[in-house]
Amino acid sequence: MKMLLLLLLVLWSSCNDNREFFIDESIRPFIGFSFDSNNMKAKNILWKNANAAIFALKQKNSGVFDVSLFDNSAYFVLSFPFASQASQEVLLLPGLRGYYSGDAKNWGFALWMMSDQESLERVAQLVHNHHDGFPCGRIEHLSGLSLAQNSSMQDRIKPIYDEHIKPPTIAALMNLASAANLKGTVSSLVNQGTRGHTTSNGLATPNLIQDLIEAVAADIPGLEFSLLDSSPDITSQKNLVVSIPGTTADDGVVIVGAHMDTILGRDPAGVAPGADDDASGIAVMVELLRIIAENDLKFSRRIEFHAYGAEEIGLVGSKALANSYKLENKKIAGMLQFDMVSFTADSDDLNIYLVSNNTSSVLRRSLKTLLLTYLDGGFSELPLAGGTSDHKAWYDMGYPAVFPFENPLAYNTRIHTSGDTIDNSGNFQLAVRFANLGMAYLAHYAGLNSAADEYEVRAQEENLLDDIKIAILPSHEPENPWLFLTATPQSIAKMEFCRVSEGNGYRCIGELSPLELTRKSENRAFFASRSEEHTSELQSPCNLVCRLL
């Protein structure tokens, strides 16, 4: 035992000296590694995270990118904290095709080729393990359906209803989510035992989730269930897609996702109940479907609820589904992932955290507004240091995706262990807030039909249908560094502005300051903060302020 340990240490020392970065000769003509995010836009990217990327190289003979190397679905990207135990263990893996150790500012990553399901399971457990205070790493499946072919960003599809407007019918839905129901669904999944993607319990989980949904939502008109293969060469655990047809709009699908599988990073022989990770996310989806069924809610756009298989071994299920949607040119209005929504270190802390990396900034902005409109704020925005979830599969395909989460700085450290139980993570009042956010998201992005008339009335009252335009410019005045310009309907006689705080519900936290009416043109009125420097400019026939029309 001592000789083996010494040999491993010698191997690591040698590799660390000579192989802090390497790409295997067999694939070197086809791919490169990048460690500078400023150059990544010019690359044909296969995988990226933060400052790191793997990209395809043009072939000298043909001048095209050849990614057929990855068509056998056997490649995975592993990422890990610099100088962690995982970084050392990854370097010794059979099947390693590329490696970067990372540095003090950046995580390391590796390109690894699986030999069989057993090797994949071991590597996933290695990456998900927690050592010496380091966060768990990441594992992501890489295939020929890569970013090199599919990374173009989809044009934004706006919500049916502006997020600032609060129709009473939607507001009333915020009182319907039940902590007891959420706990009951989590209990049903935990009682299933380990839901690993190769286990009999894991293979039966899609049917269990369908049974849970049918028990509360079978009466939804047009409700459909589809069991879809993930990647048959890697896993037999299927994806479950539950769809509700839209009534009028066909310009994009609205998706809510969560994953069904569990894994043990430590003590692989134990049980992985996965209460928080991610029975809690599945429970939120079941609860949303119950509310839709019991209140006979109908929506303009199609809604899909996705229960993904094999998330813990590389986002395998969600990547297969996102790839297929991209190849079929399907449009996605928004994708929201629920993964770990029932743990807080302080039981009174009900804050929701919006993960800022690998998510759509526009969709994050939408959720912030919905939280302010319906749930009195209570949110923060932070990057996720360790791990990832299925939203990244959609984001990497160019779709708008968002990930509301527990506190990334104080997350549930019992995940991937036998300790991920209801007793250790069951803050179901927090899960209720996530469910309420999900309902607000569906009501606005899919367009709740019963709120249409109320929305039109509120929109006209609040002048939020493109009636008011705002521009902010530097004024070059030390005491008043910013110039505020607004264009409004001509009926507006007075404009004032003040400093606000997002967390304070857009209420003023300073004195109101008036804006000066500078001129009127046709049906518009133009106001500006007082600034002698700009007075003549604002009075000219057409200038910057005219573009606010």
Side-chain angles (χ1 to χ4, degrees), residues 51-200:
N51 294 328
I54 299 174
F55 56 91
L57 298 174
K58 282 188 176 181
Q59 301 305 294
K60 293 180 179 179
N61 295 335
S62 62
V64 299
F65 298 102
D66 184 359
V67 293
S68 60
L69 174 73
F70 304 106
D71 286 344
N72 64 7
S73 301
Y75 283 91
F76 290 78
V77 181
L78 318 176
S79 46
F80 38 80
F82 172 65
S84 64
Q85 182 173 330
S87 69
Q88 302 175 34
E89 294 178 351
V90 164
L91 189 53
L92 301 175
L93 288 174
L96 199 63
R97 295 293 184 265
Y99 179 87
Y100 169 59
S101 62
D103 56 42
K105 295 182 179 179
N106 300 294
W107 275 36
F109 63 94
L111 183 63
W112 174 76
M113 186 176 180
M114 66 174 278
S115 57
D116 52 36
Q117 279 194 343
E118 186 177 348
S119 69
L120 175 58
E121 196 74 14
R122 288 197 304 269
V123 168
Q125 290 167 350
L126 182 160
V127 172
H128 283 304
N129 210 339
H130 302 260
H131 288 293
D132 301 327
F134 286 105
C136 66
R138 307 181 184 97
I139 178 170
E140 297 178 53
H141 181 222
L142 190 67
S143 72
L145 293 170
S146 63
L147 290 180
Q149 298 165 306
N150 296 309
S151 61
S152 59
M153 296 299 293
Q154 174 193 278
D155 292 338
R156 186 198 176 199
I157 299 174
K158 293 183 178 181
I160 300 291
Y161 302 143
D162 189 286
E163 304 94 322
H164 289 87
I165 298 177
K166 186 179 181 179
T169 296
I170 298 177
L173 299 177
M174 299 300 107
N175 301 316
L176 302 182
S178 162
N181 290 343
L182 290 162
K183 182 177 181 179
T185 301
V186 172
S187 296
S188 296
L189 290 162
V190 167
N191 291 339
Q192 184 84 343
T194 297
R195 303 187 299 278
H197 75 110
T198 61
T199 65
S200 58

Side-chain angles (χ1 to χ4, degrees), residues 166-179 181 287-288 290-291 294-295 374-376 429 432-433 435-437 439-440:
K166 186 179 181 179
T169 296
I170 298 177
L173 299 177
M174 299 300 107
N175 301 316
L176 302 182
S178 162
N181 290 343
E287 185 67 354
L288 290 173
R290 179 193 68 81
I291 293 170
E294 291 187 359
N295 295 275
Y374 293 102
L375 301 177
D376 296 323
Q429 291 304 321
V432 164
R433 289 200 82 224
N436 289 337
L437 175 60
M439 183 53 68

Side-chain angles (χ1 to χ4, degrees), residues 238-435:
K238 296 182 181 293
N239 292 320
L240 174 64
V241 175
V242 185
S243 59
I244 301 173
T247 58
T248 55
D250 60 358
D251 58 341
V253 179
V254 179
I255 297 173
V256 175
H259 73 86
M260 66 179 74
D261 60 317
T262 62
I263 195 170
L264 284 174
R266 286 170 270 176
D267 187 21
V271 177
D276 190 30
D277 185 16
D278 181 32
S280 65
I282 297 291
V284 168
M285 293 202 311
V286 174
E287 185 67 354
L288 290 173
L289 282 156
R290 179 193 68 81
I291 293 170
I292 290 171
E294 291 187 359
N295 295 275
D296 194 24
L297 305 181
K298 296 178 176 62
F299 300 85
S300 179
R301 285 181 178 142
R302 177 184 177 88
I303 297 173
E304 291 183 359
F305 293 88
H306 294 178
Y308 301 115
E311 185 265 0
E312 299 286 11
I313 62 164
L315 316 181
V316 174
S318 55
K319 278 182 175 283
L321 203 56
N323 286 342
S324 68
Y325 277 41
K326 192 74 172 187
L327 289 176
E328 295 170 16
N329 200 31
K330 290 186 177 180
K331 301 297 183 184
I332 306 299
M335 187 277 164
L336 185 154
Q337 175 76 356
F338 287 124
D339 186 353
M340 299 171 58
V341 298
S342 64
F343 172 82
T344 51
D346 178 356
S347 60
D348 294 328
D349 179 12
L350 301 181
N351 204 56
I352 290 176
Y353 292 81
L354 302 175
V355 172
S356 59
N357 48 330
N358 299 312
T359 57
S360 163
S361 60
V362 173
L363 207 48
R364 292 199 309 273
R365 176 67 265 171
S366 286
L367 260 61
K368 292 175 189 176
T369 305
L370 291 172
L371 283 159
L372 289 166
T373 302
Y374 293 102
L375 301 177
D376 296 323
F379 64 85
S380 302
E381 187 173 20
L382 288 172
L384 185 64
T388 188
S389 193
D390 296 297
H391 65 283
K392 189 174 187 297
W394 297 90
Y395 182 76
D396 284 349
M397 285 293 106
Y399 288 123
V402 69
F403 185 26
F405 189 60
E406 302 166 359
N407 186 348
L409 301 180
Y411 68 93
N412 185 359
T413 57
R414 291 189 175 94
I415 62 170
H416 309 147
T417 76
S418 58
D420 187 5
T421 62
I422 289 176
D423 289 342
N424 289 329
S425 65
N427 188 341
F428 291 104
Q429 291 304 321
L430 175 64
V432 164
R433 289 200 82 224
F434 279 95

